[in-house]
Amino acid sequence: MKIDDLRENLGQFWGSVSEGWDRMRHSAAGALTRFRPGEQTQLPERHEIDDPLHFPAQSWTMLGGDVFEDEQRLVVRLEAPGMRKEDFSIEVRDAALQVRGEKRFERESTEGRWRVLQCAYGSFQRTVPLPTAVRGEEARASYRDGVLRIDLPKIEPGRPASVNIRVD
């Protein structure tokens, strides 16, 4: 193999890794959420956990979400497994949806040790920018199978905005 071929292949590899990282960083930036242990989180004591990478004060996780728009409404869905509907507080403020909650740790009923503790526990806040004005007072929320769904009626019904741009 020639050195030029090696350089070209390495350049293509690096470009692919760089592009993948940029795409992941862009799409995940809004989903990365910090969980802070609260008074009711009930995490095990540090001496009960063997996982050397567990730092309860630095718990981050992805709260994946989708935003769907049709002519009448916006629908925001957030994946938040392991919670109850009472654990959420939802508010429309300015042009954003704010979801707050607390995920509590559930202890096992037997004696033992935690070998790995990778789930995030504690209180969190996730802000989802809204692409159009909504009637917050008419919003409805439901929580089922670990997915929080918020239906937000639009103030001005109509098709999602689309703009054609001419190339000069």
Side-chain angles (χ1 to χ4, degrees):
M1 178 180 259
K2 294 181 182 178
I3 191 77
D4 290 337
D5 292 340
L6 183 61
R7 282 186 186 146
E8 182 179 338
N9 288 340
L10 188 57
Q12 289 174 351
F13 170 75
W14 181 251
S16 178
V17 169
S18 178
E19 178 186 349
W21 177 255
D22 284 345
R23 289 181 62 93
M24 184 180 74
R25 186 174 48 90
H26 176 72
S27 66
L32 190 59
T33 305
R34 182 170 188 183
F35 282 67
R36 299 173 192 268
E39 295 176 13
Q40 299 178 5
T41 305
Q42 302 172 351
L43 282 169
E45 298 294 325
R46 182 68 187 115
H47 69 275
E48 298 177 89
I49 304 169
D50 292 340
D51 186 351
L53 299 177
H54 176 72
F55 299 101
Q58 301 174 10
S59 293
W60 291 83
T61 195
M62 303 288 284
L63 284 184
D66 300 321
V67 178
F68 169 77
E69 179 181 5
D70 64 17
E71 291 185 11
Q72 302 297 318
R73 67 198 167 138
L74 288 175
V75 177
V76 177
R77 295 184 332 190
L78 294 176
E79 295 177 347
M83 298 179 66
R84 299 173 312 210
K85 65 182 181 178
E86 298 83 19
D87 294 331
F88 296 102
S89 170
I90 306 165
E91 180 180 8
V92 175
R93 177 174 285 182
D94 300 322
L97 178 72
Q98 290 185 348
V99 178
R100 292 181 189 87
E102 183 167 0
K103 184 176 177 185
R104 293 175 184 85
F105 182 81
E106 293 187 23
R107 291 193 170 273
E108 292 292 316
S109 59
T110 62
E111 292 294 319
R113 298 191 56 74
W114 292 96
R115 298 295 183 177
V116 177
L117 200 60
Q118 294 179 339
C119 294
Y121 298 96
S123 59
F124 66 90
Q125 176 178 315
R126 171 82 188 273
T127 301
V128 179
L130 300 175
T132 188
V134 298
R135 291 188 187 101
E137 65 280 355
E138 296 178 22
R140 299 287 176 255
S142 61
Y143 181 69
R144 189 174 62 193
D145 298 330
V147 177
L148 177 65
R149 177 189 170 114
I150 304 114
D151 286 79
L152 302 146
K154 290 181 177 181
I155 287 179
E156 296 180 23
R159 299 186 72 190
S162 176
V163 177
N164 289 324
I165 300 171
R166 196 182 78 172
V167 179
D168 292 328

